[in-house]
Amino acid sequence: MDAIQQHMLDTYRAARLDQAPPPPPGTHDVRTLRELRDYRRFEAVLSGRLAHGRLRAALGRLLPSPRPRTPACR
């Protein structure tokens, strides 16, 4: 069943039971993703890993460092 259809059924059921309607799908997606990110950072700190910049540090270990850039004109 599609999320919109389920939401419509839940809204209908809430109206029949004189309850507050549920929030529309996707309302709390950004908040949920932020909470997941914060939780993963917290777990990283507890296990002794970096909380920020883990992807950049991993790529820095895997990829060769770029050559130093020379200025275009002196």
Side-chain angles (χ1 to χ4, degrees):
M1 183 177 293
D2 189 53
I4 292 293
Q5 291 173 340
Q6 183 63 48
H7 174 61
M8 292 177 74
L9 286 173
D10 292 341
T11 303
Y12 174 75
R13 185 179 305 121
R16 294 281 311 247
L17 298 175
D18 291 328
Q19 297 175 349
T27 302
H28 303 293
D29 289 351
V30 173
R31 186 178 80 186
T32 303
L33 291 174
R34 284 184 183 145
E35 288 176 359
L36 178 64
R37 179 197 61 197
D38 292 344
Y39 178 74
R40 288 180 55 97
R41 286 180 180 171
F42 176 71
E43 289 291 321
V45 169
L46 289 181
S47 64
R49 297 187 317 251
L50 292 175
H52 295 286
R54 291 183 293 171
L55 180 61
R56 184 173 293 198
L59 288 175
R61 288 189 301 268
L62 293 175
L63 300 174
S65 62
R67 293 181 296 161
R69 298 177 73 182
T70 57
C73 58
R74 292 183 182 196

